[in-house]
């Protein structure tokens, strides 16, 4: 029933309750979007499925000649969802109330998660990504060198000049810093980008008289917005290879997202005390889009009938 049809045509996710991540044919990965690949006999599919998929597919379906589970993969422990969320909420409440620092709160929450079985000791050890810490430490060293050598001051003055040239107040400076940050973040990791530009952004804020806290928010948002490259963020790399994506895919899809977030973030940072209006508008838009995506039949009844 699968041979000669694409994953999208047979509605694989709806039919089998699993998502096709990658397709291998004759020992080589098919470099195309999984939904557009026409399946052949003997293809190897890498699937993301629920815990009961193997048993259900083996007993009731003859579409697959061989089924095996990927080593070290495990289904989500949904029964631990409520305890995990509760601990996270308590951690934030205690920190917000000013009882202790965020470091102490997070350490206590992490230890409780291990003690309660939400997280195993091995998972806790694997969760510590030493490469990130080394990268951040090296970036701080480079940032200090930029500050001591005067490069940070020079770049900061240039960003201030760019912001003044736009003639829209502090918004121009925020836009320039955000732009520079997300460009670097698409080349190196977001942590390194934030650490490199931190002294430059603060120097620019001091030179222009802009709010240093808002400038920190601008830097944080810009460093986290790396959609135009597969190398700027870990999750981008996770799907880059198995999903058969190309660099152009990130440019085509990520560039509009980058521009929209750039404009929205700068606008929110620039409105001052009325920032909540943007959050309300964004929340309403999110609810509307979610409702539309969850109920496509109401908007496209004829299309659903033909399918």
């Amino acid at each position: 029933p699968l041979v000669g049809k694409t994953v999208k045509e047979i509605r694989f996710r709806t039919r089998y309750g699993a998502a096709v991540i990658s397709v291998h044919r004759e020992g080589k990965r098919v470099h195309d979007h999984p939904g557009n690949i026409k399946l052949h006999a003997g293809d190897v599919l890498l699937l993301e499925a629920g815990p009961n998929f193997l048993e259900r597919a083996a007993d009731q379906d003859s579409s697959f000649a061989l089924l095996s589970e990927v080593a070290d993969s495990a289904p989500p422990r949904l029964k631990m969802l409520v305890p995990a969320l509760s601990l996270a909420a308590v951690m934030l409440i205690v920190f917000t109330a000013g009882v202790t620092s965020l470091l102490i709160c997070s350490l206590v929450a992490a230890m409780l998660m291990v003690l309660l079985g939400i997280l195993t000791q091995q998972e806790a050890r694997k969760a510590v990504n030493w490469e990130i810490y080394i990268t951040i430490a090296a970036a701080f060293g480079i940032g200090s060198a930029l500050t001591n050598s005067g490069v940070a001051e020079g770049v900061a003055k240039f960003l201030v000049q760019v912001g003044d040239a736009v003639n829209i107040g502090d918004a121009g400076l925020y836009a320039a810093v955000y732009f520079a940050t997300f460009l670097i973040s698409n080349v190196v990791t977001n942590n390194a980008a934030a650490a490199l530009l931190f002294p430059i952004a603060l120097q620019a804020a001091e030179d222009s008289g802009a709010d240093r806290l808002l400038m920190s928010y601008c830097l944080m948002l810009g460093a986290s917005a790396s959609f135009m490259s597969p190398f700027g963020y870990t999750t981008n790399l996770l799907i880059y290879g198995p999903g058969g994506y190309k660099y152009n895919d990130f440019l085509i899809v990520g560039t509009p997202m980058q521009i929209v977030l750039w404009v929205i973030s700068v606008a929110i940072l620039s409105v001052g005390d009325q920032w909540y209006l943007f959050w309300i508008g964004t929340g309403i838009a999110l609810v509307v889009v979610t409702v539309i995506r969850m109920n496509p039949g109401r908007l496209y009844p004829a299309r659903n009938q033909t399918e």
Side-chain angles (χ1 to χ4, degrees):
L2 304 180
V3 176
K5 300 178 181 178
T6 65
V7 174
K8 186 181 298 183
E9 290 173 347
I10 61 180
R11 296 187 176 185
F12 195 96
R13 183 190 294 268
T14 303
R15 183 173 181 177
Y16 297 101
V20 179
I21 299 177
S22 178
V23 178
H24 283 240
R25 183 174 297 154
E26 297 179 355
K28 297 180 179 180
R29 180 167 55 86
V30 180
H31 293 275
D32 197 357
H33 191 281
N36 300 327
I37 298 176
K38 184 172 290 187
L39 300 178
H40 294 179
D43 283 352
V44 179
L45 308 181
L46 177 62
L47 307 177
E48 181 179 1
N52 300 324
F53 172 79
L54 288 176
E55 182 180 354
R56 184 175 65 253
D59 295 340
Q60 303 176 3
D61 201 293
S62 58
S63 303
F64 309 101
L66 178 65
L67 294 170
S68 62
E69 186 175 0
V70 177
D72 296 330
S73 64
R77 296 188 288 270
L78 296 179
K79 64 179 181 180
M80 294 297 181
L81 178 62
V82 174
L85 291 177
S86 300
L87 280 175
V90 172
M91 177 192 72
L92 293 176
I93 292 173
V94 172
F95 167 69
T96 305
V99 177
T100 184
S101 65
L102 182 60
L103 175 62
I104 301 300
C105 291
S106 58
L107 287 175
V108 173
M111 289 187 288
L112 288 176
M113 285 191 178
V114 174
L115 292 175
L116 295 176
I118 300 174
L119 196 68
T120 65
Q121 295 183 15
Q122 184 177 3
E123 290 172 337
R125 286 193 295 269
K126 288 183 177 180
V128 180
N129 193 333
W130 294 109
E131 292 182 0
I132 291 180
Y133 291 104
I134 294 174
T135 301
I136 294 176
F140 275 123
I142 297 175
S144 299
L146 292 175
T147 303
N148 296 334
S149 62
V151 174
E153 184 178 359
V155 176
K157 290 181 178 180
F158 172 75
L159 292 176
V160 172
Q161 293 175 357
V162 172
D164 292 340
V166 181
N167 197 25
I168 54 176
D170 291 342
L173 178 60
Y174 295 146
V177 172
Y178 189 103
F179 181 79
T181 306
F182 81 63
L183 281 183
I184 296 179
S185 181
N186 280 287
V187 179
V188 300
T189 63
N190 60 328
N191 303 288
L196 284 172
L197 284 174
F198 182 73
I200 297 175
L202 287 189
Q203 184 66 47
E206 291 180 359
D207 293 344
S208 63
D211 192 309
R212 298 181 64 180
L213 181 60
L214 292 179
M215 181 61 75
S216 300
Y217 290 154
C218 179
L219 185 68
M220 176 186 66
L221 293 171
S224 301
S226 52
F227 309 119
M228 298 167 56
S229 165
F231 309 111
Y233 211 75
T234 306
T235 49
N236 296 9
L237 284 174
L238 286 176
I239 64 171
Y240 180 52
Y245 294 103
K246 300 177 182 178
Y247 195 96
N248 289 341
D249 296 330
F250 287 87
L251 287 176
I252 294 172
V253 179
T255 301
M257 294 177 60
Q258 199 90 66
I259 295 174
V260 170
L261 279 178
W262 182 22
V263 174
I264 293 177
S265 299
V266 172
I268 291 175
L269 292 171
S270 304
V271 294
D273 295 335
Q274 297 181 347
W275 58 268
Y276 59 90
L277 296 177
F278 282 91
W279 288 118
I280 293 174
T282 305
I284 293 174
L286 178 61
V287 171
V288 171
V289 172
T290 302
V291 171
I292 292 174
R293 296 293 295 175
M294 293 180 65
N295 300 277
R298 295 183 179 180
L299 293 178
Y300 310 104
R303 178 182 176 184
N304 288 343
Q305 289 174 4
T306 56
E307 291 178 351

